Structure formats: C-alpha cells, structure tokens
Amino acid sequence: QDLPIDRFVGAQRQKSAMALLSKIAGGCARAPCDGRRRAASPSPLSLPQEVLRHASGRAAPRELEKVDSSDESLNESLISPSPSAASSLSTSTSLTALKSSSPKKAVARWSLALRVARVVLLARRAKQNSAVKLNDQRKETSRTSVRVTRTLTDPAISAGVRQMMALLEPGQPLGHVSDFAKEYGTEAFCKRLLRKNDGNVKKSSEKFKQALAWRQAHKEVLISRKFALGGDERVIGSDLQRRPVIYFCMKNQMLSGAQCLDQKVVTMLQAIDSMPGGVEDMVHIWDLHGQQFRLSDLNPAPVVEMIQCQGAYFASRLHETIIIGMPRMATALKDTVWSLVPEKTKDKIRYMSEEEAQLHIKTQCDEEVAGRILAAMQQNRDNRLTLEQRKKSWMRVDESGQLVPLVA
C-alpha cells in the first residue's frame, strides 16, 4: 500500500515500470529469472498479458481505456476486479500456483498491479496531452510573433507602394500594359496587396502583375458587366458592419462552374460598388444544398482560377466565406484544390450546418437582411417550388441599397 507510485509520474523508463509491475504481480514478466524465487515462492498470479502489452507501449488494456481519473468508483473497481478483468489473466497461470497462495493475497497483488498500470496509463496520457498543448502554444506563439514582426508601418507601406507603382513606368516590367490595365494599379490596390502579403514587396509585386494581366484578359466582362445567368449568386444585403453579403445556392446552378465565372466576377464588382466608406471586404455564403455534380464540375480549373483571382485582383476583399453543408463530391473537389488556398484565406473559411448558419446569420446581420437570407435558404429547400418559380424571387441589392431584380 505504501508503494511510491509517484515514481511512475516522472520520467520512469518502461523497463523499470515493467520490472516493478512484475514484482507486484509476483511474476517475472518475461524478464530473466534464475528460477530460485519462483521455486521458493510460486507466483500466485502471472501479470495479465494486456497489462504487459500496455507497459511496453503496444496496446492499452481494455479495462483501463474506460478509466476516468476523476471517477470515484475507480478504487472500488480496482480493489474488486471485474469478471472481464479476471478473465484477462494469462492462460499460463498454474493451478498449482493458485492453490499454493492465499486468494486474498492474489487479489491484493492483482489490484495493486492494475492500479499501478492505471497510473502509468494516466501519466502517459497526461504527458501526451501536455506535449500537444505545448506544441499548439508554440505554434500560436510563432504565429503571433510573425504577426508582430510583420506589422506594417506607414513608412514601410509607402516604400512598398512606390516600388510597386514604379513597375508601371516605361521600360519596367509593366510598362507595356494597356492604359485600361494600368487604371487598376492604384495606391489603394497596392496597399491591399501589401496587407494581404504581410508587407512582402516581392510577393505583392508578383500579385500586382497577375492582377493587371487578368484585368486585360477580362476587359470585356469588366466593362460590360454582362454574363450568362448561371445561378442565383447575388448581393443579398449587408452585415452589421455594412459589409456586402453575397449568397448563392448550388441547387439553382444551371451552368457549369467555368460558365459561372463571369457572374461571380460581376457580383463581386457589384459588392464593391455597394461598399460604404471605410469598408473594403465582403462576406460570401455558399449554400451547397441540392448540389448536383456534372462531369465538368469535377474539373478543378474554374475553382483554381477563382482562387487566383481572389488572391490577386480581389486581394483583401474577403472577410469570410460561410459554406453550408459539404457533400462528398464537394469534399473531394475541395481536397484537390485546398493546397492552393493561401493560409490567410483558409482561416476565413467556415464550414457550418444549416442550423449553425442560421444562428450565425441572425447574429451577424440585422433582422431584415437575416430574414431575407433565411427566406432564400428555406425557399431553396422547398421541393414544391420549381426553378422558374424560385427565379422570380431572385433580387439583389444595388449600390444605392435598393432591391432590384438579379437580371433586368
């Protein structure tokens, strides 16, 4: 009863633990033995193989997997082993040995051995949990340190903006681009790129080049803002911080993902137009209810293009993306492109169930906007309504805050 259990809580080696467990149980536990002790005092019980496997790190005893360190009935259950625990005794136990020893002594040894094994298991689990927590703390500290060291100062931003704007000068890498593309190369855009890339001028400059090249390639849609209607994606309102909220439901997707890109671009442009002063980002709600995959939807190229567009042309325009539901096929597509998503963007993506999304929307939007979004979600889940009937309710918020039809 006076066994120094605290030895096991420290950095006790497995070999020492097994030796002591073997001593308690009265067996050799596969340790070298000259046989003299066994001959003089036969072991009443061999140490259960499950306890030995646990002590060697190969498996955890079934009896101990259910152990809770705060369970008041633990000591009682250990003093009186359960039938299942008793049945786990080694089959090599000798009947002669059992008869030659006091039953009370055998039970006491079994109880003490199991109790020690319990302490070893709890200590091991506590050590693992502490290691995990310590690792998480180190990661968080590392992230915090990076954020602190990369805090942008006004002089640093100004210097970075000057370097990026210089790329537009004649003879420089972007000196040859059209005036239409150069119109987007403003100081405000350079600042957004620098913020997104933590002040990294080189990386921001690369995104700057990509953005202007993308603008030139998509000149027609950016000017005309015309698109083939591919679904119900639209600016449906704004949150309590006056950020525009874009909503769409996959049940209403009528075209392939590649054919919907123009509508996505125009919708984000409309969201930017509706931003009041001091607001620069937006919220996306992707309702994946009713998603029906076409073969073309398995092609990740449109998603990759949209990710690149978000990281360059629409840099720092995303506040958060709420994804409601995640079908298996969508999960497979997500896994394909997830490695291409920047870490900052990953932190802004939130996966929610329908109930979680409803609660989140109610807390983030006023009653009118929340009611509009929830009504759209409910309508998209009403199987009695046809696509044509749902189309009639597709309204968007324009730059003046008025509701207008999605397609005039």
Side-chain angles (χ1 to χ4, degrees), residues 249-257 287-298 327 329-330 383 390:
C249 181
M250 289 299 296
K251 184 176 182 178
N252 298 317
Q253 183 174 343
M254 299 175 288
L255 302 175
S256 66
D287 189 353
L288 303 190
H289 172 76
Q291 186 173 24
Q292 297 180 354
F293 276 94
R294 303 170 179 82
L295 186 60
S296 58
D297 290 333
L298 298 178
M329 294 299 291
N383 294 328
R390 294 195 299 272

Short mmCIF file of all heavy atoms in Angstrom, two decimals, residues 249-257 287-298 327 329-330 383 390:
data_model
loop_
_atom_site.label_atom_id
_atom_site.label_comp_id
_atom_site.label_asym_id
_atom_site.label_seq_id
_atom_site.Cartn_x
_atom_site.Cartn_y
_atom_site.Cartn_z
N CYS A 249 -26.95 29.50 -53.96
CA CYS A 249 -27.28 28.13 -53.60
C CYS A 249 -27.01 27.23 -54.79
O CYS A 249 -27.42 27.52 -55.92
CB CYS A 249 -28.75 28.01 -53.18
SG CYS A 249 -29.24 26.33 -52.70
N MET A 250 -26.32 26.12 -54.53
CA MET A 250 -25.95 25.21 -55.61
C MET A 250 -27.16 24.52 -56.24
O MET A 250 -27.07 24.03 -57.37
CB MET A 250 -24.99 24.15 -55.08
CG MET A 250 -23.61 24.67 -54.74
SD MET A 250 -22.73 25.36 -56.16
CE MET A 250 -22.57 23.92 -57.19
N LYS A 251 -28.30 24.52 -55.56
CA LYS A 251 -29.49 23.91 -56.14
C LYS A 251 -29.94 24.65 -57.39
O LYS A 251 -30.56 24.07 -58.29
CB LYS A 251 -30.62 23.90 -55.11
CG LYS A 251 -31.88 23.19 -55.58
CD LYS A 251 -32.93 23.14 -54.49
CE LYS A 251 -34.18 22.38 -54.96
NZ LYS A 251 -35.20 22.29 -53.88
N ASN A 252 -29.59 25.94 -57.46
CA ASN A 252 -30.03 26.77 -58.59
C ASN A 252 -28.97 26.90 -59.68
O ASN A 252 -29.16 27.69 -60.61
CB ASN A 252 -30.40 28.16 -58.06
CG ASN A 252 -31.56 28.11 -57.09
OD1 ASN A 252 -32.54 27.41 -57.30
ND2 ASN A 252 -31.43 28.85 -55.98
N GLN A 253 -27.87 26.17 -59.56
CA GLN A 253 -26.84 26.27 -60.60
C GLN A 253 -27.34 25.64 -61.89
O GLN A 253 -27.70 24.47 -61.94
CB GLN A 253 -25.55 25.58 -60.14
CG GLN A 253 -24.42 25.71 -61.16
CD GLN A 253 -23.11 25.16 -60.65
OE1 GLN A 253 -22.93 24.96 -59.45
NE2 GLN A 253 -22.18 24.90 -61.56
N MET A 254 -27.32 26.44 -62.95
CA MET A 254 -27.83 25.99 -64.24
C MET A 254 -26.73 25.74 -65.26
O MET A 254 -26.96 25.07 -66.27
CB MET A 254 -28.80 27.05 -64.79
CG MET A 254 -30.01 27.29 -63.89
SD MET A 254 -31.07 28.64 -64.50
CE MET A 254 -30.04 30.06 -64.13
N LEU A 255 -25.53 26.27 -65.02
CA LEU A 255 -24.41 26.11 -65.94
C LEU A 255 -23.23 25.48 -65.21
O LEU A 255 -23.23 25.38 -63.98
CB LEU A 255 -24.00 27.47 -66.53
CG LEU A 255 -25.09 28.25 -67.29
CD1 LEU A 255 -24.55 29.62 -67.69
CD2 LEU A 255 -25.57 27.47 -68.50
N SER A 256 -22.24 25.08 -65.97
CA SER A 256 -21.04 24.51 -65.36
C SER A 256 -20.28 25.58 -64.60
O SER A 256 -20.49 26.79 -64.78
CB SER A 256 -20.15 23.89 -66.44
OG SER A 256 -19.64 24.91 -67.29
N GLY A 257 -19.35 25.15 -63.78
CA GLY A 257 -18.58 26.09 -62.99
C GLY A 257 -17.81 27.08 -63.83
O GLY A 257 -17.74 28.27 -63.50
N ASP A 287 -24.24 28.17 -50.16
CA ASP A 287 -25.21 27.17 -49.71
C ASP A 287 -25.13 25.98 -50.67
O ASP A 287 -25.59 26.06 -51.82
CB ASP A 287 -26.61 27.79 -49.72
CG ASP A 287 -27.65 26.89 -49.08
OD1 ASP A 287 -27.32 25.73 -48.75
OD2 ASP A 287 -28.80 27.34 -48.91
N LEU A 288 -24.54 24.89 -50.22
CA LEU A 288 -24.31 23.73 -51.09
C LEU A 288 -25.49 22.77 -51.11
O LEU A 288 -25.38 21.66 -51.66
CB LEU A 288 -23.05 22.99 -50.67
CG LEU A 288 -21.75 23.81 -50.63
CD1 LEU A 288 -20.55 22.91 -50.43
CD2 LEU A 288 -21.59 24.66 -51.88
N HIS A 289 -26.63 23.18 -50.57
CA HIS A 289 -27.81 22.31 -50.59
C HIS A 289 -28.25 22.05 -52.03
O HIS A 289 -28.26 22.95 -52.87
CB HIS A 289 -28.96 22.97 -49.83
CG HIS A 289 -30.26 22.23 -49.97
ND1 HIS A 289 -30.52 21.06 -49.29
CD2 HIS A 289 -31.36 22.50 -50.73
CE1 HIS A 289 -31.74 20.64 -49.61
NE2 HIS A 289 -32.27 21.49 -50.48
N GLY A 290 -28.59 20.80 -52.32
CA GLY A 290 -29.10 20.45 -53.64
C GLY A 290 -28.06 20.41 -54.73
O GLY A 290 -28.40 20.43 -55.92
N GLN A 291 -26.78 20.34 -54.35
CA GLN A 291 -25.72 20.33 -55.35
C GLN A 291 -25.78 19.07 -56.19
O GLN A 291 -25.84 17.95 -55.68
CB GLN A 291 -24.35 20.44 -54.68
CG GLN A 291 -23.20 20.58 -55.66
CD GLN A 291 -21.90 20.85 -54.94
OE1 GLN A 291 -21.75 20.51 -53.76
NE2 GLN A 291 -20.96 21.47 -55.61
N GLN A 292 -25.81 19.25 -57.50
CA GLN A 292 -25.82 18.13 -58.45
C GLN A 292 -24.61 18.28 -59.37
O GLN A 292 -24.55 19.22 -60.17
CB GLN A 292 -27.12 18.11 -59.26
CG GLN A 292 -28.36 17.88 -58.41
CD GLN A 292 -29.62 17.87 -59.24
OE1 GLN A 292 -29.60 18.14 -60.44
NE2 GLN A 292 -30.74 17.55 -58.60
N PHE A 293 -23.68 17.37 -59.21
CA PHE A 293 -22.43 17.48 -59.96
C PHE A 293 -22.61 17.01 -61.39
O PHE A 293 -23.16 15.95 -61.68
CB PHE A 293 -21.34 16.65 -59.28
CG PHE A 293 -20.64 17.37 -58.17
CD1 PHE A 293 -21.06 17.21 -56.86
CD2 PHE A 293 -19.59 18.23 -58.42
CE1 PHE A 293 -20.44 17.86 -55.82
CE2 PHE A 293 -18.96 18.90 -57.40
CZ PHE A 293 -19.39 18.71 -56.10
N ARG A 294 -22.13 17.86 -62.29
CA ARG A 294 -21.93 17.45 -63.67
C ARG A 294 -20.51 16.92 -63.81
O ARG A 294 -19.66 17.18 -62.96
CB ARG A 294 -22.13 18.64 -64.61
CG ARG A 294 -23.50 19.32 -64.48
CD ARG A 294 -23.51 20.63 -65.27
NE ARG A 294 -24.79 21.30 -65.20
CZ ARG A 294 -25.18 22.07 -64.18
NH1 ARG A 294 -24.37 22.25 -63.14
NH2 ARG A 294 -26.35 22.65 -64.19
N LEU A 295 -20.26 16.24 -64.88
CA LEU A 295 -18.90 15.73 -65.09
C LEU A 295 -17.91 16.88 -65.18
O LEU A 295 -16.79 16.80 -64.70
CB LEU A 295 -18.85 14.88 -66.36
CG LEU A 295 -17.53 14.16 -66.64
CD1 LEU A 295 -17.19 13.21 -65.49
CD2 LEU A 295 -17.61 13.41 -67.96
N SER A 296 -18.36 18.00 -65.77
CA SER A 296 -17.47 19.16 -65.92
C SER A 296 -17.16 19.81 -64.59
O SER A 296 -16.13 20.48 -64.42
CB SER A 296 -18.11 20.20 -66.85
OG SER A 296 -19.37 20.61 -66.35
N ASP A 297 -18.04 19.61 -63.59
CA ASP A 297 -17.81 20.22 -62.29
C ASP A 297 -16.67 19.56 -61.53
O ASP A 297 -16.19 20.11 -60.54
CB ASP A 297 -19.09 20.14 -61.45
CG ASP A 297 -20.17 21.07 -61.98
OD1 ASP A 297 -19.82 22.09 -62.60
OD2 ASP A 297 -21.37 20.77 -61.78
N LEU A 298 -16.26 18.37 -61.97
CA LEU A 298 -15.14 17.69 -61.33
C LEU A 298 -13.81 18.28 -61.77
O LEU A 298 -12.77 17.95 -61.20
CB LEU A 298 -15.19 16.19 -61.64
CG LEU A 298 -16.43 15.46 -61.12
CD1 LEU A 298 -16.38 13.99 -61.54
CD2 LEU A 298 -16.55 15.57 -59.61
N PRO A 327 -21.31 18.13 -49.41
CA PRO A 327 -21.49 16.81 -49.99
C PRO A 327 -20.15 16.12 -50.23
O PRO A 327 -19.10 16.78 -50.28
CB PRO A 327 -22.20 17.10 -51.33
CG PRO A 327 -22.79 18.46 -51.16
CD PRO A 327 -21.87 19.20 -50.24
N MET A 329 -18.88 14.72 -52.89
CA MET A 329 -18.20 15.13 -54.11
C MET A 329 -17.55 16.49 -53.94
O MET A 329 -16.47 16.75 -54.46
CB MET A 329 -19.18 15.14 -55.28
CG MET A 329 -19.72 13.77 -55.65
SD MET A 329 -18.42 12.62 -56.18
CE MET A 329 -17.94 13.35 -57.72
N ALA A 330 -18.23 17.38 -53.21
CA ALA A 330 -17.66 18.70 -52.94
C ALA A 330 -16.41 18.57 -52.08
O ALA A 330 -15.44 19.31 -52.26
CB ALA A 330 -18.69 19.59 -52.27
N ASN A 383 -39.21 21.62 -51.92
CA ASN A 383 -39.26 20.83 -53.16
C ASN A 383 -40.52 21.07 -53.98
O ASN A 383 -40.61 20.61 -55.12
CB ASN A 383 -39.14 19.35 -52.81
CG ASN A 383 -37.79 19.00 -52.22
OD1 ASN A 383 -36.77 19.60 -52.57
ND2 ASN A 383 -37.77 18.05 -51.30
N ARG A 390 -38.66 29.91 -58.34
CA ARG A 390 -37.62 30.48 -57.49
C ARG A 390 -36.95 31.67 -58.17
O ARG A 390 -36.57 32.64 -57.51
CB ARG A 390 -36.58 29.41 -57.12
CG ARG A 390 -37.13 28.29 -56.25
CD ARG A 390 -36.00 27.48 -55.62
NE ARG A 390 -35.14 26.85 -56.62
CZ ARG A 390 -35.33 25.66 -57.15
NH1 ARG A 390 -36.42 24.95 -56.80
NH2 ARG A 390 -34.49 25.15 -58.03
#
